[in-house]
Amino acid sequence: MKAWITKKLAKFNLWFNGLANGYRRVVRWALDHPKSMMFLAVASFRPALSMPALGLVGGEFFPLEDNAEVSLTVDAPPGANIDFSRQKTGETLRLVEKYRK
């Protein structure tokens, strides 16, 4: 069993080291080419700002839709029977109906 785990960890480490080396190369290139990086940053700024206007991504922090859902909790005293609970739930529903449009 130890050999199986050791093999899996060695495979993962090999993959992770390859990923880290690739990242290292990208960062090294970016640091060696500051003008190219500035160009990429400026060139991507306008498309990023236009994405909400084009409808490609949402542009608001909170959704504008209203599902008209209400959640209520009716608490009954300990030991209350089902008839009492039904009565209180009915009263609650009648109160809610007054405010329904």
Side-chain angles (χ1 to χ4, degrees):
M1 178 139 147
K2 191 171 185 179
W4 178 82
I5 292 173
T6 304
K7 288 179 186 178
K8 290 292 182 182
L9 286 175
K11 189 175 180 181
F12 172 79
N13 285 335
L14 186 65
W15 170 82
F16 188 81
N17 288 337
L19 197 64
N21 288 333
Y23 178 73
R24 199 173 290 119
R25 282 192 304 271
V26 169
V27 171
R28 188 179 306 124
W29 182 90
L31 292 174
D32 289 341
H33 299 85
K35 289 181 183 177
S36 296
M37 293 307 300
M38 184 62 81
F39 173 77
L40 285 172
V42 171
S44 63
F45 187 68
R46 177 173 272 165
L49 288 180
S50 66
M51 289 177 88
L54 296 172
L56 298 173
V57 295
E60 64 274 344
F61 289 107
F62 299 103
L64 299 176
E65 63 189 53
D66 180 7
N67 294 332
E69 294 179 6
V70 176
S71 177
L72 299 171
T73 302
V74 179
D75 290 327
N81 62 21
I82 191 74
D83 291 330
F84 178 83
S85 297
R86 283 186 181 141
Q87 177 187 358
K88 292 299 176 186
T89 302
E91 291 174 14
T92 304
L93 289 173
R94 283 189 289 281
L95 285 171
V96 170
E97 284 294 325
K98 286 183 181 179
Y99 297 100
R100 190 171 170 201
K101 292 182 181 181

